[in-house]
Amino acid sequence: MTQKPPSSRRAGKPQRPDRPAKAPHKSGTRGAKPGTAKPAAAKPSPDGDRIAKVLARAGVASRRDAERMIEAGRVSVNGKKLTSPALNVTDKDRITVDGKAIGTPDHERLWLYHKPSGLVTTNRDEKGRETIFDKLPENLPRVMTVGRLDLNSEGLLLLTNDGGVKRKLELPSTGWLRKYRVRINGRPTDETFAPLRKGIEVEGERFQPMDITLDRQQGANAWVTIGLREGKNREIRRAMEAIGLTVNRLIRTSYGPFQLGQLKPGEVEEVRRRVVRDQLGLEDAVAPETRRKPTRRRR
């Protein structure tokens, strides 16, 4: 008996037509009817700036106070009273506060101010003491301070009209060195400051290592230069007290790239817009300055 070859077993049987291949499954379309699946629409990025930021830039109030004004129903946009600060506005929107249109928001600006000793770095003082805002020039717009200097400290204090700039300058991650000229009572040696160079804990608060240089002895006092990368409340005074020394004068001479220079006590000087843009990475926010090149006169 001879066996038929395997190919002849199906011989004579009708061939089934090839079935069409199944379409590959698409993620997210299981159970959907053909033609009903729609791609997810990308969320458009909001245009403009938050209303509180715009009010602050226009010199109306700080962002926090602006939010309170909005919640109190004092702010309207395009004739509609706001009840929440969660709104972005553009130059095309008409903004009013208590029925009066606000001015055009200003660009980010920064000033150097030589704070004199004896002034409080706050908007209002509960004890009725004079603040730096009592002594600032009248032509200065509404500004806020970058950090603080205590009542008896003096020297460089940065001022800005923009809350974003303020936060950026105050962030510890910025890591800008702040330098101080400090006069202390006593006769310290270079080794006296060893604990402060390593970092010290005062009343449960940890102070980062300080850069300290002993400059000179002047009678009963010594002058030192101190560099910090963070500014905690009365940090230098408290650290010196912890090693048995008393600060009787403290002058901040620089804050990152910004220098006190020859600025006299009480004087204010605006930082050039180009410098602000370059140092703070605000290239898209502030247009470059256009200055005429000086022409040389022939003698």
Side-chain angles (χ1 to χ4, degrees), residues 210-277:
M210 301 179 182
D211 298 332
I212 303 181
T213 303
L214 178 58
D215 297 325
R216 60 191 172 95
Q217 187 73 37
Q218 187 179 35
N221 297 310
W223 281 95
V224 296
T225 299
I226 300 179
L228 303 176
R229 294 196 180 274
E230 60 178 0
K232 295 182 179 177
N233 184 35
R234 301 183 70 253
E235 182 171 352
I236 293 176
R237 296 180 188 275
R238 293 164 62 196
M240 287 296 176
E241 288 173 1
I243 60 172
L245 297 172
T246 303
V247 172
N248 53 34
R249 192 174 183 190
L250 189 150
I251 311 166
R252 182 154 66 192
T253 57
S254 67
Y255 193 111
F258 305 108
Q259 307 288 322
L260 180 64
Q262 301 301 314
L263 206 61
K264 296 179 181 179
E267 286 187 345
V268 178
E269 179 179 295
E270 184 167 6
V271 180
R272 293 170 60 185
R273 292 171 62 185
R274 183 178 299 173
V275 176
V276 176
R277 181 195 64 212

Side-chain angles (χ1 to χ4, degrees), residues 98-111:
D98 297 331
K100 297 180 180 179
I102 67 168
T104 304
D106 204 352
H107 59 77
E108 296 91 342
R109 298 171 71 183
L110 190 68
W111 291 265

Side-chain angles (χ1 to χ4, degrees), residues 22 29 32 69 84 88 93 159 185-186 189 217 233 257 265 294-295:
K22 292 182 180 180
T29 60
M69 294 168 70
S84 168
N88 279 41
D93 294 307
L159 308 173
N185 183 251
T189 65
Q217 187 73 37
N233 184 35
T295 54

Side-chain angles (χ1 to χ4, degrees), residues 1-66:
M1 182 177 175
T2 58
Q3 188 177 5
K4 293 182 181 180
S7 59
S8 63
R9 289 180 181 178
R10 296 183 180 180
K13 290 185 178 182
Q15 296 284 336
R16 289 184 179 181
D18 293 336
R19 292 181 180 180
K22 292 182 180 180
H25 171 70
K26 294 183 180 180
S27 177
T29 60
R30 184 182 295 274
K33 295 181 180 180
T36 60
K38 295 182 180 180
K43 293 182 180 180
S45 57
D47 294 328
D49 293 312
R50 283 294 176 116
I51 179 67
K53 180 178 180 180
V54 173
L55 291 173
R57 284 269 193 88
V60 174
S62 67
R63 289 195 191 186
R64 186 174 298 177
D65 287 341

Side-chain angles (χ1 to χ4, degrees), residues 62-87:
S62 67
R63 289 195 191 186
R64 186 174 298 177
D65 287 341
E67 290 175 355
R68 294 194 186 101
M69 294 168 70
I70 292 168
E71 292 169 356
R74 297 174 58 190
V75 181
S76 298
V77 176
N78 301 325
K80 185 178 180 180
K81 187 178 294 185
L82 296 186
T83 56
S84 168
L87 175 71

